[in-house]
Amino acid sequence: MMSDAVPTPFSGPPPTSGEEEAPLYVRIAGDYAERIREGALSPGDALPPERKIAEIYGVSRVTVRRALEQLVLEGLIEQRQGSGTYVSQRLQQPLSVLTSFTEDVRARGMTPNSQFLDRAIGIATPEEAIGLGLKPGQGVSRIARLRSADGIPLAIETAAVVLDALPDPTVVTDSLYDVLSSRGMRPVRAIQRLSAVALDKRNAELLDVPPGSPGLYMVRVGYDAGDRPIEYTRSFYRGDRWDFITELA
Ligand code: GLP
């Protein structure tokens, strides 16, 4: 649907004196980005046509085009040939900041939800034991979840957490990182490996896509302040819904 949530031009705080004003296209892009992050514009909503945006802001269509290009680059909108511009249904995960699924989903103005597939203490698998530096036979808190945003399944995550960081996995009802934070145990750094995969039948079914659909497989090892590995998580993300974004300086 066409959104009537047209931003008040330059609704952000006015630049303080002496501060250099951002170029017009950056400010227009910023306005729309804020609307999308606040949820005033939802995934799939149409943006007004270029001509209309130019009118609202009293700028040229060239400026509007630059603003839209910027939003496309940030993964916030997508332009469909001959049809218009829409708020993107893809989510972003910054690769340079240690965010949680809950934070990534909320950053898009969406509501996260989890269906627990497993939430129990178990013996670390050889892979988990190597990742966490545990001896064979040691236990971990294991949490496997189908993770959704606004009811759309987006990822399957299996986290193994060392027992002293999370002695009771059943206390995790929403965000694992919130629980770890409240215990002063949120990972402060992580190493991730991201690979392309074809989703197998089970994962595809859970994620509500045809078997063999493209996915992204991520392994994250999260470290505590003492540089000890405390989290070993394997995630399958839907390839059609995520952009992993890296900032380069
Ligand atoms: C991301 C990471 C996981 C991490 C999770 C925590 O999805 N890939 O390694 O365990 O966030 O998310 P939350 O705090 O929402 O449970």
Side-chain angles (χ1 to χ4, degrees), residues 21-241:
E21 276 190 33
L24 283 176
Y25 82 91
V26 173
R27 297 176 69 196
I28 296 170
D31 264 0
Y32 275 100
E34 200 180 311
R35 291 284 164 136
I36 293 168
R37 293 198 178 105
E38 282 172 350
L41 283 167
S42 305
D45 280 358
L47 261 60
E50 247 173 53
R51 173 186 41 78
K52 179 89 188 149
I53 302 178
E55 226 172 85
I56 297 169
Y57 285 93
V59 297
S60 72
R61 286 179 70 163
V62 176
T63 304
V64 173
R65 219 161 290 148
R66 284 194 76 184
L68 296 180
E69 275 164 13
Q70 168 90 20
L71 290 164
V72 169
L73 206 62
E74 288 176 29
L76 291 174
I77 61 165
E78 41 194 47
Q79 290 175 310
R80 295 183 207 147
Q81 204 79 53
S83 145
T85 306
Y86 298 85
V87 178
S88 167
Q89 292 179 315
R90 301 173 70 85
L91 282 93
Q92 287 82 47
Q93 186 178 124
L95 288 176
S96 46
V97 192
L98 189 48
T99 55
S100 69
F101 180 90
T102 302
E103 290 159 349
D104 294 337
V105 169
R106 290 207 176 120
R108 278 302 303 274
M110 299 172 88
T111 306
N113 186 259
S114 293
Q115 181 190 326
F116 286 85
L117 308 171
D118 185 17
R119 185 169 31 173
I121 291 176
I123 301 295
T125 63
E127 198 189 351
E128 289 165 350
I130 293 168
L132 293 168
L134 300 176
K135 294 196 186 76
Q138 275 189 281
V140 288
S141 277
R142 195 172 298 110
I143 298 173
R145 294 173 284 178
L146 172 62
R147 317 213 62 185
S148 312
D150 286 355
I152 300 162
L154 295 178
I156 302 162
E157 297 203 296
T158 307
V161 183
V162 295
L163 287 176
D164 60 301
L166 185 67
D168 177 8
T170 63
V171 300
V172 178
T173 52
D174 299 308
S175 163
L176 168 64
Y177 277 17
D178 281 358
V179 170
L180 293 176
S181 286
S182 68
R183 299 176 49 80
M185 298 297 267
R186 179 174 166 134
V188 296
R189 75 173 187 97
I191 293 183
Q192 287 188 159
R193 194 180 68 228
L194 191 59
S195 350
V197 289
L199 295 167
D200 67 16
K201 194 165 174 288
R202 176 182 176 266
N203 286 337
E205 245 163 50
L206 285 167
L207 291 170
D208 201 18
V209 291
S213 295
L216 288 152
Y217 176 62
M218 180 187 280
V219 178
R220 177 185 289 186
V221 182
Y223 296 81
D224 69 8
D227 229 15
R228 182 180 60 123
I230 53 168
E231 174 205 3
Y232 181 87
T233 299
R234 286 160 296 144
S235 312
F236 289 94
Y237 291 91
R238 262 172 72 162
D240 61 342
R241 291 281 181 164

